[in-house]
Amino acid sequence: MTALKSLVLNNVPVKMGQTLCICSRGSITIDNKKYYFVQKLDEGGFSYVDLVEGAKDGRFYALKKILCHDREGRQEAQTEMEMHQIFNHPNVLSLVAHTFVDRGGKTEAWLLLPYIRKGSLWSVLEKLRDKASSMPEKQILQIFRGICSGLKAIHEKGYAHRDLKPTNVLLDEDDRPLLMDLGSMNRARIEVRGTREAMTIQDWAAQRCTISYRAPELFNVESHCIIDERTDIWSLGCVLYCMMILEGPYDMVFQKGDSVALAVQNPVTIPQSCSYSEGLQMLLSSIMVSNPQERPNINWVLDQVQDLQTCSPNTQTNMV
């Protein structure tokens, strides 16, 4: 996928009543507001992100562009836009503006999002790992509590994120986490009736839910069951593990080519070298329960985090 280096396109038809103009100065206009292209930030399979600057406010924004190859792709992008608009929460990334751009017979969905300079939780953890350092327990609890708060807001609206992982959590300068990439979100409670429905959900999960953070019940979906928001609780546990150990609990299993589906059926193993408090380790073990019926809900997890914060050590922990 090539970057929009010059952004020299004119008379681009736009949907949803929004005005868009691209001129030779490398600017775009969405909702009658002009933004200047700065640089490319990221690129994925079907989307890429540009850094743009507001002409009037001078603020930086992340412009996510999703390639919609067909009607289904367009509907998925529309759903992602709608998911952003449902939530107004300090721990869920907001949507500044959005539009669809039709160009050369192809459609792109454009999502204008706040630019979070510090980047993802994963990038912060990578830097710690490179320095052979670790994150203080107090900081882990602060960030984790924010993640839980954002997830609670999503669950209370009757939805599940379905792809929670450190790369989908942004951190601002005050370590406030913001849940992002809402494209895999759907209704929290899914009733599975029959083998065909089970296979449909299993195939969907294989495409949309990152394998090393995917809940056990999504690997082999039973023909008659209910999938609910506790898939997120499992992923939440994987995120907590990653904050403590600086890698996901099943990252190495996947990298070695071993079966993640088999590995997630066993209790999570916390390395003996882990020097975080017994309370934090117990919380992790309580979250990462293979049987979803025995897994706690987000309210319970949030209560435990708040309790741990009242007695958490304020000093830097030893090396993990």
Side-chain angles (χ1 to χ4, degrees), residues 60-209:
F60 289 109
Y61 298 89
L63 181 63
K64 181 178 182 179
K65 302 177 180 180
I66 305 170
L67 300 180
C68 307
H69 294 289
D70 50 27
R71 185 178 296 178
E72 184 181 348
R74 185 185 175 105
Q75 183 55 53
E76 287 178 357
Q78 178 71 43
T79 299
E80 182 167 351
M81 292 173 177
E82 290 171 357
M83 290 298 104
H84 273 288
Q85 291 174 309
I86 286 173
F87 302 101
N88 180 19
H89 191 276
N91 297 113
V92 180
L93 191 66
S94 59
L95 182 63
V96 179
H98 60 91
T99 190
F100 282 99
V101 182
D102 292 328
R103 206 157 28 88
K106 293 184 178 180
T107 301
E108 287 184 355
W110 287 19
L111 285 72
L112 189 68
L113 303 158
Y115 172 58
I116 309 300
R117 193 181 301 272
K118 195 170 182 178
S120 71
L121 171 60
W122 175 249
S123 66
V124 171
L125 297 176
E126 271 191 318
K127 288 172 185 173
L128 286 170
R129 191 173 59 195
D130 290 345
K131 294 189 295 185
S133 186
S134 62
M135 186 176 283
E137 183 159 328
K138 184 179 181 181
Q139 186 182 11
I140 288 179
L141 289 169
Q142 178 192 343
I143 294 171
F144 193 64
R145 180 173 177 174
I147 296 171
C148 290
S149 295
L151 204 54
K152 180 180 179 179
I154 290 172
H155 291 180
E156 284 181 339
K157 293 280 190 180
Y159 289 93
H161 188 285
R162 306 288 190 215
D163 197 25
L164 185 62
K165 55 184 177 180
T167 52
N168 281 343
V169 178
L170 295 174
L171 288 180
D172 71 9
E173 295 303 317
D174 297 319
D175 272 350
R176 174 173 60 105
L178 296 105
L179 305 187
M180 60 168 281
D181 202 350
L182 310 185
S184 296
M185 278 180 56
N186 54 21
R187 298 298 303 181
R189 184 183 173 89
I190 302 172
E191 189 174 349
V192 182
R193 294 164 293 193
T195 306
R196 180 176 293 181
E197 287 187 11
M199 287 306 299
T200 298
I201 292 168
Q202 194 169 305
D203 291 344
W204 176 87
Q207 292 178 5
R208 304 303 296 264
C209 310

Side-chain angles (χ1 to χ4, degrees), residues 237-249 268-271 284:
C238 293
V239 171
L240 177 57
Y241 183 104
C242 194
M243 293 171 73
M244 295 165 64
I245 312 299
L246 303 183
E247 66 177 26
V268 67
T269 303
I270 302 173
L284 176 61

Side-chain angles (χ1 to χ4, degrees), residues 141-142 144-145 148 283 300-310:
L141 289 169
Q142 178 192 343
F144 193 64
R145 180 173 177 174
C148 290
L283 174 61
W300 184 89
V301 178
L302 200 46
D303 286 344
Q304 300 304 307
V305 174
Q306 290 168 346
D307 286 347
L308 283 173
Q309 280 187 303
T310 63

